[in-house]
Amino acid sequence: MVLKLYGLPTSPCTTRVLACLHEKGLNYEFVPVNLLDGEQKKPAFLEKNNFDLIFSFTLQPFGKVPVLEDGDLTLFESRAITGYIAEKFNDTGFDLIRYGDYKEAALVRVWLEVEAQQYNPAIQPIVYQCIVMPRRGKPSDQKIIDESVEKLGKVLDVYEGRLEKSKYLAGDHFTLADLHHLSYTFNVMKTPYASLFTSRPYVKAWWEDISSRPAFVKVCENIK
Amino acid sequence: MVLKLYGLPTSPCTTRVLACLHEKGLNYEFVPVNLLDGEQKKPAFLEKNNFDLIFSFTLQPFGKVPVLEDGDLTLFESRAITGYIAEKFNDTGFDLIRYGDYKEAALVRVWLEVEAQQYNPAIQPIVYQCIVMPRRGKPSDQKIIDESVEKLGKVLDVYEGRLEKSKYLAGDHFTLADLHHLSYTFNVMKTPYASLFTSRPYVKAWWEDISSRPAFVKVCENIK
């Protein structure tokens, strides 16, 4: 049974899952969902989440794709999907969770949570204001951008210290913790705030390394 | 080697880890860190995170406790710590991650992420404005409270639909996904916004169930 991913190629959360699928070298069917047409709010799609209200969320600016189908199992939340893929297909492709070494795996957990709780809340508003709002023909809010840039700078100061000591966030190996940063950072690099990354030598080297991995390059080609 | 937890008993993130430790029936040493004294910013404590800047974060209103020491392994981020404990001590106490059933475990992952990405961003500002700010002798921001109450209401509408169909968030069993909700909800129940929970029958029944588990009752007694 081939994996089926419902998503929008330009959505960072969809891109996060695509990057994971490509790192694992898995076959999948991609089903584009047109968020602007509200396709993700139609009954046939809503049923995939087993309840009707999930798309009433307005907390995620890109809406609630992706959704993964694996046989009769339907999953949502991009970070849950990548964790599921990384663990279920541990023997396939790149080991993204340092399976079998509980200490390394524990550090992967820590940096996955740092991305989710510290990095994402700082970077997401920048992408939303600088890319999504103009795409919708709406003005961006410079105050939100400025506050988020300051927050992200402080987070990246910590990353700079960390990456001075280890090549990747969780240690010597590329893991899911690094991968989860790819999609939003890819977008910020297209904004005037790319210098947040390029001005910090260790962060810059890390970004150039992880963003040039063949799996992610392939995903980015499909976005274009 | 006994587990050592650095934290503040009144911090929801510390409480989250304590609830997990008690569900697993694990022995641990608790080391209180006085956030108001800035103890968590002193060098001896900072070294536990292996880098100096982690406590410059201002994104988490309660600061950056807890920290868990397990032998020579030092972990932070409460959700990473509970995930580590639940997996490493899978054979001890209550099975919080539905280990061994990959479908059930996948749904635990999904609802862990819903808590982290949808529930927490809505409930955290309410607790911060209604409880933390007054404790610090500062005025609370009613606009932030109102916006967050509206957000949380929408999230809880989804929970109501989910909990009408299954006793717990991830299915028929109490899991880490439910446990992660305990500490912030416990705080909101002390505010004028408890009706967000009590007005929704299935959410109310779920809350009464999970908050009356002996492990969490024990943790709450220690907070008093």
Side-chain angles (χ1 to χ4, degrees):
Chain A
M1 186 82 71
V2 73
L3 298 168
K4 192 186 277 191
L5 181 67
Y6 296 79
L8 182 73
T10 54
S11 140
C13 294
T14 300
T15 305
R16 180 177 290 130
V17 176
L18 287 170
C20 182
L21 288 165
H22 280 261
E23 281 290 351
K24 301 302 283 183
L26 296 168
N27 290 324
Y28 64 92
E29 178 189 349
F30 185 72
V31 183
V33 175
N34 191 338
L35 290 179
L36 295 178
D37 282 353
E39 195 172 339
Q40 83 284 12
K41 294 186 181 175
K42 292 178 185 168
F45 190 79
L46 287 171
E47 283 169 10
K48 298 201 187 309
N49 282 327
N50 297 320
F51 47 89
D52 296 336
L53 291 165
I54 191 76
F55 286 98
S56 69
F57 280 135
T58 54
L59 300 175
Q60 282 207 354
F62 295 98
K64 287 297 296 177
V65 290
V67 169
L68 182 82
E69 280 184 353
D70 183 9
D72 61 351
L73 190 63
T74 304
L75 305 175
F76 56 101
E77 286 289 340
S78 65
R79 295 171 183 84
I81 295 173
T82 58
Y84 169 77
I85 292 169
E87 187 162 317
K88 180 176 178 189
F89 301 99
N90 174 58
D91 292 336
T92 309
F94 200 85
D95 174 10
L96 292 170
I97 50 173
R98 307 303 298 158
Y99 198 86
D101 184 317
Y102 82 97
K103 287 189 182 181
E104 288 188 16
L107 292 178
V108 176
R109 280 184 189 279
V110 166
W111 286 96
L112 283 170
E113 289 302 327
V114 171
E115 184 280 326
Q117 296 298 323
Q118 316 292 343
Y119 190 85
N120 187 66
I123 200 169
Q124 195 189 46
I126 301 173
V127 172
Y128 190 70
Q129 294 297 330
C130 293
I131 296 178
V132 180
M133 293 294 271
R135 197 182 285 161
R136 294 179 181 172
K138 293 179 181 173
S140 54
D141 186 327
Q142 192 58 44
K143 185 167 175 284
I144 292 177
I145 294 173
D146 292 344
E147 287 171 358
S148 301
V149 166
E150 190 185 338
K151 271 188 191 175
L152 184 57
K154 287 181 183 171
V155 174
L156 289 177
D157 283 342
V158 179
Y159 278 50
E160 183 72 359
R162 172 66 184 173
L163 293 166
E164 186 177 352
K165 290 174 186 162
S166 66
K167 190 172 180 190
Y168 298 100
L169 290 173
D172 296 333
H173 305 275
F174 175 81
T175 68
L176 201 58
D178 304 294
L179 184 147
H180 276 194
H181 292 75
L182 286 169
S183 53
Y184 271 101
T185 311
F186 174 77
N187 278 284
V188 163
M189 296 309 279
K190 296 185 283 186
T191 75
Y193 305 101
S195 61
L196 281 165
F197 295 82
T198 55
S199 67
R200 292 173 168 87
Y202 291 98
V203 168
K204 180 174 184 279
W206 168 73
W207 170 248
E208 287 171 353
D209 180 337
I210 66 173
S211 63
S212 63
R213 292 178 67 84
F216 188 61
V217 170
K218 185 83 180 166
V219 171
C220 293
E221 282 170 3
N222 291 342
I223 294 177
K224 288 168 198 162
Chain B
M1 184 84 69
V2 74
L3 297 168
K4 192 185 276 192
L5 180 68
Y6 297 79
L8 182 73
T10 54
S11 141
C13 293
T14 300
T15 305
R16 181 176 291 129
V17 176
L18 287 169
C20 182
L21 288 165
H22 280 261
E23 281 289 351
K24 301 301 285 182
L26 296 169
N27 289 324
Y28 64 92
E29 178 189 348
F30 185 72
V31 183
V33 175
N34 192 338
L35 289 179
L36 295 179
D37 282 353
E39 195 171 336
Q40 83 285 12
K41 294 187 181 175
K42 292 177 184 169
F45 191 79
L46 287 172
E47 282 168 12
K48 297 201 187 309
N49 280 327
N50 297 320
F51 48 88
D52 296 337
L53 290 165
I54 192 74
F55 286 98
S56 69
F57 280 134
T58 54
L59 301 174
Q60 282 207 352
F62 295 98
K64 287 298 297 178
V65 289
V67 169
L68 182 81
E69 280 184 352
D70 182 11
D72 62 352
L73 190 62
T74 304
L75 305 176
F76 56 100
E77 286 288 341
S78 64
R79 295 171 182 83
I81 295 172
T82 58
Y84 169 77
I85 292 169
E87 186 162 319
K88 181 177 178 189
F89 301 100
N90 174 58
D91 293 336
T92 308
F94 199 86
D95 174 10
L96 292 170
I97 49 172
R98 307 302 300 156
Y99 198 87
D101 183 318
Y102 84 95
K103 288 188 182 183
E104 287 187 18
L107 291 178
V108 177
R109 280 183 188 280
V110 167
W111 286 95
L112 283 170
E113 288 302 327
V114 171
E115 185 280 324
Q117 295 298 323
Q118 316 294 342
Y119 190 87
N120 187 65
I123 200 169
Q124 195 190 46
I126 301 173
V127 172
Y128 191 71
Q129 294 296 331
C130 293
I131 296 178
V132 180
M133 293 295 272
R135 197 182 285 160
R136 293 179 183 171
K138 294 180 182 174
S140 54
D141 185 326
Q142 192 59 43
K143 185 167 176 284
I144 293 177
I145 294 173
D146 292 345
E147 287 170 358
S148 301
V149 165
E150 190 185 338
K151 271 187 190 175
L152 185 57
K154 287 180 182 172
V155 175
L156 289 176
D157 283 340
V158 178
Y159 278 48
E160 183 73 358
R162 173 66 184 173
L163 293 165
E164 186 178 351
K165 291 174 185 161
S166 66
K167 190 172 181 190
Y168 299 100
L169 290 173
D172 296 334
H173 305 276
F174 175 81
T175 69
L176 201 58
D178 304 294
L179 185 147
H180 276 195
H181 291 75
L182 286 169
S183 52
Y184 272 100
T185 312
F186 174 78
N187 279 284
V188 163
M189 296 308 280
K190 296 185 282 186
T191 74
Y193 305 101
S195 62
L196 281 165
F197 294 83
T198 55
S199 66
R200 292 173 169 87
Y202 290 98
V203 168
K204 180 174 184 277
W206 167 73
W207 170 248
E208 287 171 353
D209 179 337
I210 66 173
S211 63
S212 63
R213 293 179 66 85
F216 189 62
V217 170
K218 186 82 181 167
V219 171
C220 293
E221 281 169 3
N222 291 341
I223 294 177
K224 289 166 199 162

